[in-house]
Amino acid sequence: MSKAKLGRPRSEKSKEAILSATHALLSETMGTGLTIEAIARRAKGGKPTIYRWWPGVADIVLEVVLSQANASITVSTSDSLQETLGQFLRESMNAIVNWGGVHLRFLVAHAQKDEAFRDRFRDNFTAKRRAVLKSIFAQAMERGEIGSEQNVEILVDMVFGAMWYRLLIGHAPANETFADDLTEAIIRLVQNPPV
Amino acid sequence: MSKAKLGRPRSEKSKEAILSATHALLSETMGTGLTIEAIARRAKGGKPTIYRWWPGVADIVLEVVLSQANASITVSTSDSLQETLGQFLRESMNAIVNWGGVHLRFLVAHAQKDEAFRDRFRDNFTAKRRAVLKSIFAQAMERGEIGSEQNVEILVDMVFGAMWYRLLIGHAPANETFADDLTEAIIRLVQNPPV
Amino acid sequence: MSKAKLGRPRSEKSKEAILSATHALLSETMGTGLTIEAIARRAKGGKPTIYRWWPGVADIVLEVVLSQANASITVSTSDSLQETLGQFLRESMNAIVNWGGVHLRFLVAHAQKDEAFRDRFRDNFTAKRRAVLKSIFAQAMERGEIGSEQNVEILVDMVFGAMWYRLLIGHAPANETFADDLTEAIIRLVQNPPV
Amino acid sequence: MSKAKLGRPRSEKSKEAILSATHALLSETMGTGLTIEAIARRAKGGKPTIYRWWPGVADIVLEVVLSQANASITVSTSDSLQETLGQFLRESMNAIVNWGGVHLRFLVAHAQKDEAFRDRFRDNFTAKRRAVLKSIFAQAMERGEIGSEQNVEILVDMVFGAMWYRLLIGHAPANETFADDLTEAIIRLVQNPPV
DNA sequence: AACTAAACGAGACGGTACGTCCAGTCTTTAA
DNA sequence: TTAAAGACTGGACGTACCGTCTCGTTTAGTT
């Protein structure tokens, strides 16, 4: 019943200054130059204030991304698979093109050198996006648009995999056209019974 | 027009010491701890010797990977798509599982913070792997196993994308079972005419 | 015209906890590790409580020292200079050896980087000790044991100087033997008329 | 006969820049503000360069002091004790007044929080000064100006002690007048046989 | 008994400095 | 004449404290 809030409360102003400084630096320098020191300088705060709340740069970026991305997962639940999937992928691509590409690239890059962060990144970001896509496929399966024998895990890997692949390697653009091509390919795949 | 080789020749011993130190450090520390300084220490050489021959750590890793990977692209040209693709993907997965996972993860990670390296990485590694997979699809197309209306680029993105995605995010293993599931899904996809 | 004391009065418990935490930390860590934060932690108090009552660490140490040292200045007024001086110096040395050496070293050290504290230290500690020693010499002068032409200031400087010097530099112990040697030397000095 | 000097040699320019930056900062800020960071900034060098050659700030100050002080120990060997001692003390006081007071205060202060440095300080500075003073007394003893029964250690403690005491506590100036008073007192002391 | 005002603990804040690691570059000797 | 290698400048790391601040919580003395 007690569980009182002791001590000086966390400064919301600082928190937002840090998050927006991170966003700004990431956009401006494309990932290079995103250091704790630079964030502290830009946010006019101290380094310890940052370390008190986040374990490192990547987790700040993750929070920035989540605060944007979670809002944007909007699935229109009642249409055909073609339309639902198409809209979901186009929205994802737009998010990448418009503001999030550098952020996501930074996150995967960092995840490769920090296993603990990779777990946090997977649990809080990719796992949730996978869940959404899986529910889209599950609904289509209920409606009979997909045969129940299909391997949904592999489908999800192919869809998100292709997107990340383009984003990370950069051999071709990750834009709306690509979203449409991908949608078409998946539709064709699921309309076919297993071999 | 002699163009003689003047001065002290490059030490092959140093070169190999550097390459194998890089490989060893990468395997031992999982990417953390692979720095120019550490390589120089381990190879018992000086940093300038490294900088004279490579622009940075990632390029040493790339050279290590290429010297292994180029040898392993073996495509059996005469079988069915199912078998050719299956074999290619299984071999790729094995390479990752057995020795190359950390290397590849390091390379993509570094490519995100260094555009120039991303180009080198793409030109020397992923582009060549893509070409092989595209030629596999092209041969299948000639044999009529794939309709000519199929978007081969998207197919390649889906195959390699799924593999990289599993490797980088780590939500599920990138092994032979996955190679087989992926092969099956692709086969089913290409057997269906476009919508 | 009352000027009443409003509000919660100062907590004696806190005050003592802080003083004894300071004493303990000083003894344990030999000066290193005596920080405001450490004192607050050890005394289970808040930093502002400390800053409300003392300007800094050194002043807490000074208070600790004064509460011990002022009590211990006991001068037997009726003996010969030899005995009075000898007893005074032996007592001083014992205080240093038994509990106060680290404290005094901490105080002088801090006084070198803080002029304002140096004044407080001088006024509250060294000046009072000097006064005692001067009164010892004055009494001896009245009894005729010292000629009135002697420079008492220099005598005091030489006595206390030698003690501080040994304590601070540490080339030889500051103990009872030293107190006796010092006493003897001073006695010999004052028995001689100026040149 | 090999033992060759490999690699880039130590930069004399850097060394001197660091030493003179230290001297300047010490004089300007009176001890406060003499930090490794400040020295590096002022000397336009990197912190690692400093740490490569010195364990900490105090050792830089010690080197500055030694480079000045060692030159200034000039003892005129053939005069009377009165003159030799008087000259030695006046010179010492002048050194303190003119440029070295803050340096010496900084050194003793630091020696109180760092036992290892206290040893270095004693071995390289105070021990050498003590040796000089002891040799002055030894010569006087040979000439019969001092009786062989005198305790030279105590004499040295009293002389240097009084000087350090005035310098550190600041209750009275450490200048030439003081040097003369001190000389006179010592002369009087040694002219008296032990009790 | 309720009110008031100051001291209390807890802890976050903007900062400075720490000592270390690594990146790249420079400058010398060795081959 | 180039390779090799140690010392260089310098940026960032993550941590420890500083002294200040903002809270909610005692705790005596006053109404």
Side-chain angles (χ1 to χ4, degrees):
Chain A
M1 308 86 232
S2 54
K3 193 61 200 308
K5 238 181 27 172
L6 285 185
R8 180 178 180 173
R10 176 173 187 183
S11 157
E12 278 301 316
K13 218 181 89 194
S14 277
K15 179 181 172 180
E16 279 169 33
I18 290 167
L19 290 175
S20 83
T22 302
H23 180 69
L25 282 169
L26 202 40
S27 305
E28 289 166 16
T29 67
M30 300 293 290
T32 344
L34 184 68
T35 66
I36 296 277
E37 297 236 316
I39 295 171
R41 263 197 303 273
R42 171 80 78 113
K44 292 183 193 312
K47 282 197 287 175
T49 303
I50 298 178
Y51 282 111
R52 209 186 328 270
W53 299 107
W54 295 276
V57 231
D59 289 83
I60 313 180
V61 177
L62 182 56
E63 184 162 337
V64 169
V65 167
L66 289 180
S67 67
Q68 295 272 346
N70 283 340
S72 77
I73 305 186
T74 52
V75 189
S76 50
T77 45
S78 52
D79 299 296
S80 69
L81 174 61
Q82 165 106 33
E83 269 195 50
T84 314
L85 183 61
Q87 182 192 327
F88 177 70
L89 294 188
R90 269 196 305 275
E91 273 180 14
S92 300
M93 291 299 178
N94 277 333
I96 288 173
V97 169
N98 293 333
W99 67 272
V102 205
H103 299 64
L104 296 180
R105 289 174 60 190
F106 185 91
L107 290 174
V108 218
H110 188 83
Q112 306 314 309
K113 359 195 106 164
D114 183 344
E115 284 301 312
F117 174 74
R118 188 157 80 141
D119 292 345
R120 289 196 293 278
F121 174 51
R122 187 168 52 229
D123 293 347
N124 293 296
F125 186 80
T126 60
K128 300 204 170 161
R129 314 287 290 181
R130 286 181 68 84
V132 172
L133 187 50
K134 275 166 87 170
S135 82
I136 291 176
F137 283 131
Q139 285 169 13
M141 209 174 264
E142 283 180 22
R143 287 195 303 262
E145 290 184 275
I146 303 182
S148 65
E149 74 289 340
Q150 298 283 1
N151 188 337
V152 174
E153 289 293 330
I154 296 289
L155 289 179
V156 172
D157 284 347
M158 287 169 67
V159 171
F160 281 133
M163 288 168 57
W164 278 110
Y165 182 51
R166 285 220 171 174
L167 182 64
L168 295 172
I169 306 296
H171 57 283
N175 53 18
E176 291 210 342
T177 308
F178 176 57
D180 291 339
D181 291 347
L182 202 49
T183 306
E184 188 193 322
I186 291 298
I187 295 299
R188 196 153 64 241
L189 190 156
V190 298
Q191 285 171 346
N192 216 23
V195 198
Chain B
M1 62 152 358
S2 57
K3 188 63 195 306
K5 250 187 2 179
L6 285 185
R8 181 178 178 173
R10 175 176 188 182
S11 156
E12 277 301 316
K13 219 181 89 192
S14 277
K15 177 180 173 180
E16 278 169 33
I18 290 166
L19 289 176
S20 84
T22 302
H23 181 69
L25 282 168
L26 202 40
S27 305
E28 289 166 15
T29 68
M30 299 293 290
T32 344
L34 183 68
T35 65
I36 295 278
E37 200 122 271
I39 295 171
R41 261 198 306 273
R42 172 77 78 112
K44 292 183 193 312
K47 284 195 288 175
T49 307
I50 298 177
Y51 281 112
R52 189 172 303 109
W53 302 107
W54 293 277
V57 234
D59 290 85
I60 314 180
V61 177
L62 183 56
E63 184 163 335
V64 170
V65 167
L66 289 180
S67 68
Q68 296 270 348
N70 283 341
S72 77
I73 305 186
T74 52
V75 190
S76 51
T77 44
S78 51
D79 298 297
S80 70
L81 175 60
Q82 165 109 31
E83 270 196 49
T84 314
L85 184 61
Q87 184 193 326
F88 176 70
L89 293 188
R90 269 195 304 276
E91 273 181 15
S92 299
M93 291 296 179
N94 278 333
I96 287 173
V97 169
N98 293 334
W99 68 271
V102 205
H103 299 65
L104 296 180
R105 288 173 61 190
F106 184 91
L107 291 173
V108 215
H110 188 83
Q112 305 315 308
K113 358 194 106 166
D114 182 344
E115 284 302 312
F117 175 75
R118 187 156 82 142
D119 293 344
R120 290 197 292 278
F121 174 52
R122 189 168 51 228
D123 294 346
N124 293 295
F125 187 80
T126 60
K128 299 203 171 164
R129 315 286 291 179
R130 285 181 69 85
V132 172
L133 186 51
K134 276 165 86 171
S135 82
I136 291 176
F137 284 132
Q139 284 169 15
M141 211 175 263
E142 282 178 22
R143 287 195 302 264
E145 290 184 275
I146 303 182
S148 63
E149 74 289 342
Q150 298 281 4
N151 188 337
V152 176
E153 288 294 330
I154 297 289
L155 289 179
V156 173
D157 284 348
M158 288 168 66
V159 171
F160 280 134
M163 288 170 58
W164 277 111
Y165 181 50
R166 286 219 171 176
L167 182 64
L168 296 172
I169 306 296
H171 56 285
N175 54 18
E176 291 210 342
T177 308
F178 176 57
D180 292 339
D181 292 347
L182 201 50
T183 307
E184 187 192 320
I186 292 297
I187 295 299
R188 195 151 67 243
L189 190 158
V190 298
Q191 285 171 347
N192 217 24
V195 197
Chain C
M1 61 161 344
S2 58
K3 185 63 196 302
K5 249 189 7 181
L6 283 186
R8 180 181 181 173
R10 177 174 184 183
S11 157
E12 277 302 315
K13 219 182 89 193
S14 277
K15 179 181 171 180
E16 279 170 33
I18 289 166
L19 289 176
S20 83
T22 302
H23 181 69
L25 282 169
L26 203 40
S27 305
E28 289 167 16
T29 67
M30 301 291 291
T32 345
L34 184 67
T35 65
I36 296 278
E37 296 237 316
I39 295 171
R41 263 197 305 272
R42 172 78 77 114
K44 293 185 194 310
K47 283 195 287 175
T49 305
I50 297 178
Y51 281 111
R52 208 188 324 273
W53 301 106
W54 293 277
V57 234
D59 289 84
I60 314 179
V61 177
L62 183 55
E63 185 163 339
V64 169
V65 166
L66 289 180
S67 68
Q68 296 270 348
N70 284 340
S72 76
I73 304 186
T74 53
V75 189
S76 52
T77 46
S78 53
D79 297 296
S80 69
L81 174 60
Q82 166 109 31
E83 271 195 49
T84 315
L85 184 60
Q87 183 191 328
F88 177 69
L89 294 188
R90 271 197 302 277
E91 274 181 15
S92 299
M93 290 297 180
N94 279 333
I96 287 173
V97 169
N98 293 334
W99 67 271
V102 206
H103 300 64
L104 295 180
R105 290 172 61 189
F106 185 91
L107 290 174
V108 216
H110 188 84
Q112 305 315 309
K113 357 195 107 163
D114 182 344
E115 284 302 311
F117 174 75
R118 188 156 81 141
D119 293 344
R120 288 196 293 279
F121 175 52
R122 188 169 51 230
D123 294 346
N124 293 296
F125 187 79
T126 61
K128 301 201 170 165
R129 315 285 292 180
R130 286 182 69 85
V132 172
L133 187 51
K134 276 165 87 171
S135 82
I136 291 176
F137 284 130
Q139 285 169 15
M141 208 174 265
E142 283 180 21
R143 287 193 302 264
E145 292 184 274
I146 304 183
S148 65
E149 73 290 342
Q150 298 281 2
N151 188 338
V152 175
E153 289 293 329
I154 296 288
L155 289 179
V156 173
D157 285 346
M158 285 169 67
V159 172
F160 281 133
M163 289 169 57
W164 278 110
Y165 182 50
R166 285 222 172 173
L167 182 63
L168 296 172
I169 307 295
H171 56 284
N175 53 20
E176 291 209 341
T177 308
F178 176 58
D180 292 340
D181 292 347
L182 202 50
T183 306
E184 187 193 319
I186 292 297
I187 295 298
R188 195 153 64 243
L189 189 155
V190 297
Q191 285 172 347
N192 217 24
V195 197
Chain D
M1 57 175 339
S2 53
K3 193 62 200 308
K5 239 181 28 171
L6 280 185
R8 181 179 180 173
R10 178 174 184 183
S11 157
E12 277 302 316
K13 218 181 91 195
S14 278
K15 180 181 172 180
E16 280 169 32
I18 290 167
L19 289 176
S20 83
T22 302
H23 181 70
L25 282 168
L26 202 40
S27 306
E28 290 167 14
T29 68
M30 298 292 290
T32 345
L34 184 67
T35 65
I36 296 277
E37 296 236 316
I39 296 172
R41 263 197 304 273
R42 172 80 76 111
K44 293 187 192 310
K47 281 196 289 176
T49 304
I50 298 178
Y51 281 111
R52 205 189 328 272
W53 300 106
W54 295 278
V57 232
D59 290 84
I60 313 179
V61 177
L62 183 54
E63 184 163 338
V64 169
V65 167
L66 289 180
S67 67
Q68 297 272 345
N70 284 341
S72 76
I73 305 186
T74 52
V75 190
S76 50
T77 46
S78 51
D79 297 298
S80 69
L81 175 59
Q82 166 107 31
E83 270 194 50
T84 314
L85 184 60
Q87 183 192 329
F88 177 69
L89 294 188
R90 270 196 304 277
E91 274 181 14
S92 299
M93 291 297 178
N94 279 333
I96 287 173
V97 169
N98 293 335
W99 68 271
V102 205
H103 300 65
L104 296 180
R105 289 173 60 189
F106 185 91
L107 290 174
V108 216
H110 188 84
Q112 305 315 309
K113 356 195 107 164
D114 183 344
E115 284 301 312
F117 174 74
R118 189 157 80 142
D119 293 344
R120 288 196 293 279
F121 175 52
R122 189 168 51 227
D123 295 346
N124 294 296
F125 187 79
T126 61
K128 302 205 168 161
R129 313 287 290 180
R130 284 182 70 85
V132 172
L133 187 49
K134 276 165 87 171
S135 82
I136 290 176
F137 284 130
Q139 285 170 15
M141 209 174 263
E142 283 180 21
R143 286 194 302 263
E145 291 183 275
I146 303 184
S148 63
E149 72 290 343
Q150 299 281 3
N151 189 336
V152 176
E153 289 294 329
I154 297 288
L155 289 179
V156 173
D157 285 346
M158 286 168 65
V159 172
F160 281 134
M163 289 168 58
W164 278 110
Y165 182 50
R166 285 222 172 173
L167 183 63
L168 296 173
I169 306 296
H171 56 283
N175 52 20
E176 291 209 342
T177 308
F178 176 57
D180 292 339
D181 292 346
L182 202 50
T183 305
E184 187 191 322
I186 292 297
I187 294 299
R188 196 152 63 243
L189 191 156
V190 297
Q191 285 173 348
N192 218 24
V195 196

